[in-house]
Amino acid sequence: MLQQTNATLAHLSAIGQEITAHLDAAAVFRALDRHVHGLLDATHFSIFMLEPDGEHLRCAFGIEAGQELPASRFALSDPNANSVRSVRERREILIEIDEDGATPNLIPGTLPTLTLLFAPLAVGERVLGVMTVQSLHAHAYGERERLIFRTLCAYGAIALDNASAYRQVAATQAQLLEKNVELERAYKALEEVSLTDQLTGLRNRRFFLQHVDADVAMTLRQYDCPDGADSERLACMDKDLVFFMVDLDHFKEVNDRYGHAAGDAVLVQMQERLREVFRESDYLIRWGGEEFLVLARATDREEAKVVAERIRSAVALREFRLPDGSPLRKTCSIGYACFPFLPSQPRLLTWSQVVELADMGLYIAKHSGRDAWAALYSTPATQPDKLFPRLMKQLEQTVASGQVKIVTNLVQPPNLGGERRRVGLSSDLA
């Protein structure tokens, strides 16, 4: 008897380890069903779980004679249901019925069992539900069988409580993941807003400053070709960066005469025309007011003048439409410069200095009659020593000496004199 008891306890311990290893309620139900039928005479086996409202029991799992039981649900106030009574009284209930007697409180569709055993599924002071085994035989459950059943109920309660906790944790994690995804979307949307000009939909200075260094580094790598590798250097020709500064001529007159709504309409149409000229891979920036900066990436510097003329024509040859539908003719001035400015010494000028040279080209176009484009190019005679200060302060002399050439569509000689502004990139970078 002692050996048999020890063997049973060892077997129950192994069963308990298996049952409590499951974190899914359905898997716990199946494991309990398998072991109940392996250890006990159980024609009927079912598990009722307390519903979240704490007022009802619902049959979560039920098998009788190999068939699934019909769904059933009982209020905790039900005076007849033995499952409810076991929960209310928090105790095991054994019911023995004579073979000639009727089974009381028989669930419709179930067999008239003679021995019915109910036990609450409890974890500490909390009752999760009730488990029942029933047999068609009288006196089917002695003390040994009841001990086995209590042990299975204890393991089942622990496993179902763990499964419920795991399900809640998993649901919480899923909610947190969903919230994180929502926050990430919101962050990206806010970041997109912070990098976009709200009127035109173009990128702004912040976007430009976040991305320009990477493009400059890529361009410089293209120029880091071994000496003598002519074919590789030729391959670099369409890898330049070209900075275009574009400014609408006499834009203030639009706001003064037609109002700011008209000015906004012109700016929106201006970005549409810029998008027609440039590629999706180029950076179109609302630089400020009526001024735009475009970074044309991987571009042949010798073809930049063709792009500049396309910009000028896109503005000058087509009317703008004001909010009231009336047409308006406008022109623009364009200055551009290529990076690297001096291909033989690609790191001589920084990209911000090249942007200032593009702004100088814009200044030349503005002060030479507008509706024009102009650019500064290096020449074979360009002297690198203190090049940028000489361009800023002694442009006329530098051009006259042949160290720099002006490329423009202007027919008359360009106006190179006068005090030029600085675009203020150093403060932006700070």
Side-chain angles (χ1 to χ4, degrees):
M1 178 69 72
L2 183 60
Q3 289 177 347
Q4 186 179 16
T5 301
N6 287 338
T8 301
L9 290 175
H11 185 45
L12 286 173
S13 177
I15 290 172
Q17 291 179 14
E18 178 200 340
I19 293 173
T20 55
H22 293 296
L23 293 174
D24 176 69
V28 175
F29 294 151
R30 290 192 298 269
L32 286 170
D33 176 58
R34 184 171 66 255
H35 292 299
V36 160
H37 285 91
L39 295 169
L40 301 171
D41 176 11
T43 302
H44 174 113
F45 169 65
S46 59
I47 299 174
F48 289 82
M49 298 299 293
L50 199 61
E51 291 190 341
D53 64 4
E55 300 295 330
H56 294 84
L57 276 179
R58 175 182 55 82
C59 183
F61 183 88
I63 295 292
E64 185 175 84
Q67 300 297 316
E68 186 175 340
L69 287 171
S72 56
R73 182 173 180 264
F74 302 97
L76 284 189
S77 58
D78 192 314
N80 299 315
N82 291 309
S83 55
V84 169
R85 180 182 160 202
S86 177
V87 170
R88 275 203 312 261
E89 299 177 7
R90 300 195 174 200
R91 68 180 182 88
E92 179 183 298
I93 297 175
L94 175 64
I95 298 175
E96 300 279 5
I97 300 173
D98 295 334
E99 293 185 11
D100 297 332
T103 302
N105 309 322
L106 186 67
I107 297 175
T110 59
L111 297 172
T113 50
L114 299 180
T115 308
L116 301 84
L117 183 58
F118 298 84
L121 295 168
V123 177
E125 295 299 317
R126 292 183 297 114
V127 176
L128 308 180
V130 65
M131 195 161 84
T132 177
V133 287
Q134 302 175 22
S135 172
L136 293 175
H137 302 99
H139 310 291
Y141 307 131
E143 188 57 38
R144 176 178 175 275
E145 286 77 19
R146 292 172 68 178
L147 175 62
I148 291 172
F149 185 62
R150 289 188 208 114
T151 304
L152 291 176
C153 285
Y155 287 139
I158 293 171
L160 289 171
D161 191 47
N162 289 342
S164 176
Y166 178 78
R167 186 171 61 253
Q168 292 175 9
V169 169
T172 302
Q173 288 177 335
Q175 291 175 355
L176 287 175
L177 180 61
E178 185 177 350
K179 291 295 182 185
N180 285 337
V181 171
E182 290 177 5
L183 286 173
E184 187 175 350
R185 288 198 196 104
Y187 173 78
K188 287 182 177 178
L190 286 173
E191 186 177 33
E192 185 71 14
V193 168
S194 72
L195 299 175
T196 304
D197 175 63
Q198 297 305 296
L199 173 63
T200 63
L202 297 178
R203 296 301 190 178
N204 58 21
R205 286 196 184 205
R206 185 166 179 261
F207 174 90
F208 173 76
L209 294 174
Q210 282 186 6
H211 291 80
V212 65
D213 286 329
D215 285 282
V216 167
M218 183 180 298
T219 299
L220 290 174
R221 283 197 296 271
Q222 297 290 339
Y223 275 83
D224 289 337
C225 303
D227 291 338
D230 294 335
S231 60
E232 292 185 40
R233 290 190 180 279
L234 287 173
C236 298
M237 290 180 62
D238 62 347
K239 302 302 182 184
D240 295 317
L241 299 177
V242 182
F243 295 89
F244 292 88
M245 296 291 293
V246 184
D247 188 89
L248 281 164
D249 296 328
H250 302 298
F251 181 75
K252 184 176 181 298
E253 294 179 359
V254 179
N255 288 329
D256 292 344
R257 183 174 179 181
Y258 301 102
H260 288 281
D264 289 348
V266 170
L267 292 174
V268 171
Q269 293 170 65
M270 183 64 184
Q271 65 85 18
E272 293 171 354
R273 300 186 190 192
L274 289 175
R275 290 186 191 276
E276 293 172 4
V277 172
F278 290 95
R279 301 162 298 185
E280 288 188 10
S281 59
D282 298 328
Y283 297 155
L284 278 64
I285 311 297
R286 171 90 181 277
W287 199 242
E290 69 277 18
E291 192 170 62
F292 301 85
L293 171 68
V294 181
L295 172 54
R297 308 161 71 198
T299 301
D300 183 351
R301 65 179 58 214
E302 298 305 322
E303 295 299 317
K305 58 181 177 291
V306 177
V307 178
E309 177 58 27
R310 288 178 62 196
I311 301 170
R312 191 201 64 79
S313 299
V315 176
L317 301 183
R318 287 161 54 190
E319 294 176 335
F320 289 85
R321 288 288 168 181
L322 299 182
D324 62 2
S326 58
L328 180 67
R329 289 280 183 182
K330 295 301 295 178
T331 61
C332 70
S333 298
I334 304 146
Y336 70 88
C338 304
F339 181 91
F341 183 74
L342 188 61
S344 61
Q345 296 190 34
R347 291 172 174 79
L348 179 65
L349 299 188
T350 66
W351 65 261
S352 59
Q353 290 173 326
V354 172
V355 170
E356 292 204 43
L357 296 183
D359 192 66
M360 181 181 290
L362 175 62
Y363 170 87
I364 293 170
K366 284 280 188 187
H367 287 263
S368 300
R370 295 183 172 85
D371 189 21
W373 50 266
L376 278 67
Y377 275 81
S378 62
T379 71
T382 301
Q383 296 297 316
D385 185 47
K386 298 181 181 179
L387 177 60
F388 184 71
R390 286 189 286 113
L391 291 173
M392 289 289 104
K393 298 178 181 179
Q394 303 170 20
L395 179 60
E396 290 180 276
Q397 298 90 316
T398 309
V399 172
S401 65
Q403 294 188 49
V404 173
K405 65 178 179 179
I406 304 295
V407 178
T408 180
N409 70 324
L410 291 165
V411 177
Q412 72 277 13
N415 182 356
L416 305 182
E419 185 68 23
R420 285 174 292 277
R421 63 174 183 162
R422 302 294 293 273
V423 293
L425 278 168
S426 58
S427 62
D428 291 322
L429 290 170

